[in-house]
Amino acid sequence: IKGNGRNGFAFFDPSMAAQADERHRLEVDFRAGLARGEFELYYQPLVEAGTRRLRAMEALVRWHHPDHGLVAPDRFIAMAEDTGLVGALGEWILQTACAEAASWPDDVKIAVNISPVQFRKTNLLDVIMCALVDSGLPPERLEIEITERVLLEWEAEHLSTLHQLKTLGIAIALDDFGTGYSSLSYLTAFPFDKLKIDRCFTRDLLARDDCGAIVCAIVNLGRSLDMVTVAEGVETETQLQLLRAAGVDQVQGFLVGRPAPAAELGITMARDGAA
Ligand code: C2E
Ligand code: CA
Ligand code: CA
Ligand code: CA
């Protein structure tokens, strides 16, 4: 631990200073890390609930920090959003995910998380178009995941971006559904193809009857609105059975597969496209 050489005023809260320091260091490291290629994408499978057939892989970013080892996104995405660095990170994520997915079988989609800030502050449409063109990935194989946070501050412009993406054939998923402040009117106002039921409902499925009721209600909602439903955080066979019985279309979770680097996925290239 380095000495900070602070000439502490009595009213100066050292913990706040320490936090600001820590934050600053994280930001400096993050910039350097981007330049040095310390980020990596892990992928986690989404499978059909009934057959367990692989339908998509979700890209989840990881940071190999030279001193702290593997850092999870919860520890740096917020900072990247506050500093605007999420634009550069998000671009790298889209480029990398699309390039990697281009070598997978045609019926496996790639799902990419889009931060609300990335949505508001960058030209998402351009960034996505570039990633598709550079990788040669057909737009139908890309799925973007957005959270309700995007919708909270939405403007007409966002709606038009979503519609343009959809027109291109890109699927749009609403992530962490059921946790936020979502008004159900969002569901008809925005062109969603998929609802990802938040992990908390899967977790409490056995313990709490109301979670089962909520999952069933979401599945019915999804059906009437022609949206695919996905349950996140499936860790046990029992959960899978219950979700299947509730009529969930797809599942994702440690039971089916943990997030892993591309090299460990064992997605065999069904066809060796271009050499
Ligand atoms: P998320 O999009 O809801 O991603 C699911 C998180 O749940 C992942 O955590 C995943 O590892 C974890 N998970 C998956 N299955 C299970 C399970 O069965 N049990 C439990 N307990 N956890 C499970 P991760 O990778 O740490 O990501 C956390 C969050 O960080 C993500 O939540 C997402 O909001 C954000 N994030 C991750 N990667 C990216 C990215 O590339 N871009 C952006 N903008 N955000 C990302
Ligand atoms: Ca997600
Ligand atoms: Ca989620
Ligand atoms: Ca989440």
Side-chain angles (χ1 to χ4, degrees):
I1 301 170
K2 291 173 221 133
N4 287 317
R6 254 181 241 117
N7 49 0
F9 295 103
F11 53 83
F12 194 70
D13 178 353
S15 69
M16 269 176 61
Q19 268 179 28
D21 261 18
E22 166 83 42
R23 182 89 170 181
H24 180 67
R25 206 171 311 129
L26 186 68
E27 189 184 324
V28 170
D29 284 0
F30 187 92
R31 276 181 207 278
L34 263 181
R36 286 198 293 250
E38 291 170 4
F39 291 85
E40 183 181 18
L41 291 183
Y42 275 27
Y43 297 91
Q44 187 182 30
L46 283 85
V47 303
E48 244 166 52
T51 62
R52 293 211 193 187
R53 200 168 75 100
L54 179 64
R55 299 309 302 272
M57 287 285 190
E58 178 178 359
L60 295 162
V61 67
R62 297 291 181 265
W63 179 8
H64 297 281
H65 190 284
D67 306 323
H68 306 305
L70 197 67
V71 185
D74 290 336
R75 298 217 13 231
F76 60 83
I77 293 280
M79 178 276 297
E81 287 180 334
D82 291 350
T83 53
L85 290 165
V86 78
L89 177 69
E91 202 168 325
W92 176 84
I93 290 170
L94 274 160
Q95 283 280 340
T96 307
C98 290
E100 225 136 27
S103 72
W104 300 345
D106 291 343
D107 55 353
V108 179
K109 290 188 172 202
I110 175 75
V112 178
N113 292 285
I114 303 292
S115 136
V117 176
Q118 197 184 352
F119 205 94
R120 277 199 306 278
K121 301 268 172 71
T122 65
N123 194 337
L124 187 60
L125 203 60
D126 284 352
V127 172
I128 288 180
M129 285 305 292
C130 283
L132 290 174
V133 169
D134 291 352
S135 63
L137 187 80
E140 297 77 27
R141 288 188 50 206
L142 177 63
E143 198 164 88
I144 63 165
E145 298 194 0
I146 63 173
T147 62
E148 291 164 356
R149 274 207 294 150
V150 172
L151 312 181
L152 286 178
E153 299 165 51
W154 75 280
E155 289 152 29
E157 204 183 316
H158 300 159
L159 189 54
S160 118
T161 303
L162 287 177
H163 277 292
Q164 281 172 284
L165 291 172
K166 184 143 175 156
T167 305
L168 285 168
I170 296 163
I172 302 160
L174 183 54
D175 205 352
D176 302 343
F177 184 66
T179 53
Y181 308 91
S182 63
S183 140
L184 292 177
S185 64
Y186 286 150
L187 292 184
T188 50
F190 293 86
F192 296 115
D193 301 280
K194 190 178 240 187
L195 295 178
K196 293 192 83 174
I197 306 168
D198 193 77
R199 187 160 88 222
C200 68
F201 298 106
T202 304
R203 190 187 55 216
D204 297 340
L205 213 49
L206 265 181
R208 297 176 45 185
D209 286 346
D210 51 353
C211 281
I214 289 172
V215 170
C216 286
I218 296 176
V219 167
N220 286 326
L221 197 63
R223 283 207 184 120
S224 357
L225 296 173
D226 204 19
M227 295 171 191
V228 171
T229 49
V230 187
E232 300 185 316
V234 182
E235 295 179 355
T236 67
E237 282 292 342
T238 314
Q239 288 170 339
L240 177 61
Q241 299 308 329
L242 291 170
L243 291 163
R244 203 186 277 166
V248 165
D249 297 305
Q250 297 177 9
V251 293
Q252 183 180 25
F254 295 166
L255 176 72
V256 178
R258 287 180 179 262
E264 291 169 26
L265 290 180
I267 300 189
T268 38
M269 310 318 154
R271 60 208 76 211
D272 318 320

